[in-house]
């Protein structure tokens, strides 16, 4: 699921189903403010379950009202009050009838024309969105591959852009090889390994601190711990949060604070906010 950030579309969510078959659905849900109830605005069919859903990070309402989903491919949808329709399907392997499923993607907040996808084929792909010619009053949206790289030795499970250095060019990824790797779009010939799991367990998700881009959080498969990293001190965790009794499956930094993070685990309880002080950790 994902909240929209458009100022003219408050309290709107996109929700994806998880059915282990081809036909799945995505629902657009919005708040009916007069009745204070959430209602379904539209529903559309989606091939396979969505591995991630994101609205375009457009806080000013300056771009078309777009929604992206990942699964077998990256799809861009245009949303209107009347309907939701597929705007473009982004496929970087057009020479084959087979595709490597996408595990996740991220939409660049500073430059909404950039998206990054991660795949089980060990690669990350950076896509560029383009607004083409105007037909009637609608700008057509298309996409192209800006760069594709072999990011890990095994499957890549997550990708996320950082706000470091202006927030456009830096991104990180995690994968089945147990590493966190950081990349710069301006220097794609090399990457920086900022953490490796001591037992090389797969890392499933990563999440950048929204207030201090030097910090990020990651979690390993079947692990009750969340690892906090500082990109200025590679390979050494700043902290390990081990409040869960079973494996962690969700992490999110607070939007208003650099020292609060929420985590969700398999035991169906919600741990958070957990507060810790980076300065104290660094000093000790």
């Amino acid at each position: 699921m994902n909240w929209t950030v458009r100022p003219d579309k408050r309290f709107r969510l996109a929700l994806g189903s998880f059915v282990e078959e081809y036909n799945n659905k995505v629902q657009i849900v919005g708040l009916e403010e007069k009745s204070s109830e959430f209602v379904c605005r539209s529903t559309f069919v989606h091939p396979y379950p969505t591995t991630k859903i994101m609205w375009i990070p457009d806080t000013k309402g300056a771009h078309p009202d777009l929604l992206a989903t990942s699964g077998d491919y990256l799809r861009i949808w245009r949303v209107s009050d009347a309907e939701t329709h597929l705007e473009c399907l982004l496929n970087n392997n057009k020479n084959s009838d087979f595709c490597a499923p996408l595990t996740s993607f991220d939409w660049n907040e500073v430059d909404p024309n950039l998206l990054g996808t991660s795949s089980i084929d060990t690669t990350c792909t950076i896509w560029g969105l383009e607004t083409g010619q105007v037909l009637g009053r609608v700008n057509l949206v298309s996409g192209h591959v800006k760069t594709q790289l072999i990011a890990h030795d095994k499957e890549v499970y997550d990708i996320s852009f950082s706000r470091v250095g202006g927030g456009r060019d830096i991104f990180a990824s995690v994968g089945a090889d147990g590493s966190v790797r950081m990349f710069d779009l301006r220097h794609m010939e090399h990457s920086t390994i900022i953490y490796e799991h001591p037992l090389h367990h797969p890392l499933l998700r990563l999440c950048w601190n929204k207030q201090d881009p030097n910090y990020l959080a990651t979690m390993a498969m079947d692990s009750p711990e969340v690892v906090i990293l500082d990109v200025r001190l590679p390979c050494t965790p700043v902290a390990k949060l081990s409040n869960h009794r079973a494996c962690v499956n969700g992490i999110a930094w607070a939007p208003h604070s650099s020292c609060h993070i929420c985590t969700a685990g398999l035991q169906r309880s919600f741990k958070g906010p957990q507060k810790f002080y980076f300065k104290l950790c660094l000093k000790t």
Side-chain angles (χ1 to χ4, degrees):
M1 58 166 284
N2 189 241
W3 286 97
T4 185
V5 295
R6 287 180 67 97
D8 58 337
K9 300 291 183 180
R10 301 192 306 160
F11 308 116
R12 186 178 61 169
L13 288 159
L15 310 169
S17 67
F18 182 78
V19 181
E20 294 183 2
E21 58 185 46
Y22 182 79
N23 290 321
N24 277 257
K25 293 182 179 180
V26 173
Q27 281 192 338
I28 310 298
V29 178
L31 179 67
E32 195 69 54
E33 297 196 40
K34 290 183 179 180
S35 62
S36 297
E37 294 183 353
F38 279 94
V39 297
C40 179
R41 303 293 190 190
S42 66
T43 302
F44 58 91
V45 176
H46 190 279
Y48 301 106
T50 57
T51 54
K52 191 169 183 179
I53 299 176
M54 282 191 73
W55 294 94
I56 184 172
D58 179 15
T59 57
K60 298 181 180 179
H63 296 272
D65 196 7
L66 301 177
L67 178 72
T69 61
S70 58
D72 51 347
Y73 300 105
L74 181 65
R75 291 176 170 85
I76 308 297
W77 309 81
R78 185 185 292 268
V79 181
S80 66
D81 293 334
E83 63 174 355
T84 301
H85 67 269
L86 182 64
E87 190 73 11
C88 61
L89 184 150
L90 303 182
N91 174 19
N92 61 353
N93 190 16
K94 297 181 179 180
N95 297 323
S96 173
D97 294 333
F98 302 96
C99 63
L102 302 178
T103 53
S104 186
F105 74 96
D106 195 26
W107 209 324
N108 194 296
E109 294 182 1
V110 173
D111 185 356
N113 293 316
L114 289 178
L115 296 96
T117 58
S118 56
S119 173
I120 65 170
D121 66 0
T122 75
T123 68
C124 289
T125 303
I126 304 300
W127 297 88
L129 285 186
E130 297 174 340
T131 300
Q133 60 180 347
V134 178
L135 292 180
R137 295 184 178 180
V138 179
N139 290 333
L140 298 180
V141 177
S142 61
H144 67 279
V145 175
K146 291 184 71 72
T147 185
Q148 183 180 26
L149 66 147
I150 298 176
H152 288 260
D153 299 327
K154 296 180 180 180
E155 298 93 331
V156 188
Y157 288 141
D158 201 10
I159 182 174
S160 182
F161 286 101
S162 168
R163 295 184 180 180
V164 171
R168 183 187 184 276
D169 298 304
I170 306 296
F171 68 94
S173 61
V174 293
D177 59 5
S179 69
V180 181
R181 306 192 183 203
M182 194 161 64
F183 302 86
D184 189 331
L185 291 176
R186 296 162 296 187
H187 308 285
M188 294 299 292
E189 63 273 8
H190 61 83
S191 64
T192 302
I193 298 177
I194 58 176
Y195 176 71
E196 287 186 293
H197 191 278
L199 300 177
H200 301 288
H201 289 174
L203 300 178
L204 299 184
R205 289 288 179 262
L206 80 156
C207 187
W208 288 96
N209 190 306
K210 297 181 182 300
Q211 293 295 323
D212 189 339
N214 291 309
Y215 296 98
L216 62 88
T218 187
M219 62 188 189
M221 180 182 292
D222 299 328
S223 171
E225 285 189 340
V226 173
V227 178
I228 309 299
L229 304 171
D230 184 343
V231 298
R232 298 166 297 186
L233 299 171
C235 302
T236 303
V238 172
K240 291 184 178 180
L241 309 181
S242 54
N243 293 26
H244 285 272
R245 298 184 300 274
C247 63
V248 178
N249 53 31
I251 48 179
W253 290 94
H256 67 287
S257 169
S258 64
C259 58
H260 287 80
I261 187 170
C262 287
T263 61
L266 191 61
Q267 72 270 33
R268 298 181 182 179
S269 66
F270 186 66
K271 297 284 186 179
Q274 300 186 35
K275 188 173 182 180
F276 54 95
Y277 296 92
F278 292 118
K279 290 184 179 178
L280 178 61
C281 290
L282 292 175
K283 287 180 181 179
T284 58

